[in-house]
């Protein structure tokens, strides 16, 4: 049972700390939205796709706002939701591309394999970022967020790491990308 404060007494805790959920969520999401959009656009390369991903993440975050506030770090929780929404959109895009290639192959049986390979090929930087994400996912996130214009302290808060660690991961991630991009094309890489 909750104690009712007497006259002149201020109450530190509200009966329902999440009672004004939409206002709290809106303030949080409005503040974080530009960074999320920059991250998504850097990852997806198209503003419309980035807006869709961030909007999907916002809807998911709104539905799970109580869980976010109950987590140890609501910013990290929210960034994970955004990151998952971006990955979902990338998966959707890849499925659509594979389907498109199957349709092309069925409609144009005279299409050479080289032409199909060219249609499916990712550009070198996208491929290198995917490889970095597989090998060192946190480094890849730091590189993406830094390229999106976030400061090291902001990156650290978003990922739940120290800002000095974010700086180190950025340096390591950049070196890894340079190594991947310098590799000679032996026909086995995309």
């Amino acid at each position: 049972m909750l104690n009712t404060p007497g006259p002149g007494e201020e109450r530190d805790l509200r009966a329902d700390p999440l009672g004004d959920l939409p206002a709290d969520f809106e303030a949080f999401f409005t503040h974080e939205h530009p960074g999320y959009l920059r991250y998504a656009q850097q990852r997806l390369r198209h503003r419309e796709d980035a807006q869709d991903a961030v909007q999907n993440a916002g809807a998911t975050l709104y539905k799970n706002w109580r869980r976010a506030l109950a987590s140890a770090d609501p910013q990290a929780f929210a960034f994970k939701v955004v990151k998952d929404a971006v990955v979902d959109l990338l998966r959707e895009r890849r499925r659509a591309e594979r389907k498109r290639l199957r349709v092309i192959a069925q409609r144009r049986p005279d299409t050479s394999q080289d032409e199909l390979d060219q249609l499916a090929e990712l550009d070198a930087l996208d491929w290198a970022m995917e490889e970095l994400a597989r090998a060192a996912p946190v480094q890849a996130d730091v590189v993406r967020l830094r390229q999106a214009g976030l400061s090291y302290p902001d990156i650290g808060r978003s990922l739940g790491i120290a800002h000095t660690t974010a700086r180190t991961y950025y340096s390591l991630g950049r070196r890894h990308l340079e190594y991947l991009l310098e590799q000679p094309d032996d026909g086995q890489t995309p």
Side-chain angles (χ1 to χ4, degrees), residues 70-125:
S71 71
D73 187 349
Q75 277 188 309
F77 184 96
F79 179 71
K80 173 82 169 88
V81 171
V82 171
K83 185 177 165 183
D84 290 347
V86 169
V87 168
D88 288 345
L89 201 61
L90 284 170
R91 285 181 185 143
E92 225 175 86
R93 188 188 285 172
R94 286 186 187 120
R95 284 186 200 114
E97 181 64 15
R98 283 194 301 265
K99 183 177 179 180
R100 187 176 74 84
L101 290 176
R102 281 195 306 270
V103 168
I104 290 171
Q106 289 172 355
R107 290 188 180 168
R108 292 186 42 198
D110 59 335
T111 302
S112 72
Q113 186 60 42
D114 289 339
E115 290 174 354
L116 290 176
D117 288 345
Q118 288 174 355
L119 289 172
E121 197 172 280
L122 295 173
D123 81 321
L125 183 57

Side-chain angles (χ1 to χ4, degrees), residues 2 7 12 29 37 48 56 86 88-89 98-99 109-110 112 115 118 153 161 163 175 179:
L2 298 172
D12 291 333
F29 198 71
L37 190 58
E48 294 79 14
N56 292 343
V86 169
D88 288 345
L89 201 61
R98 283 194 301 265
K99 183 177 179 180
D110 59 335
S112 72
E115 290 174 354
Q118 288 174 355
I161 60 176
H163 70 88
R175 275 192 251 150
Y179 170 78

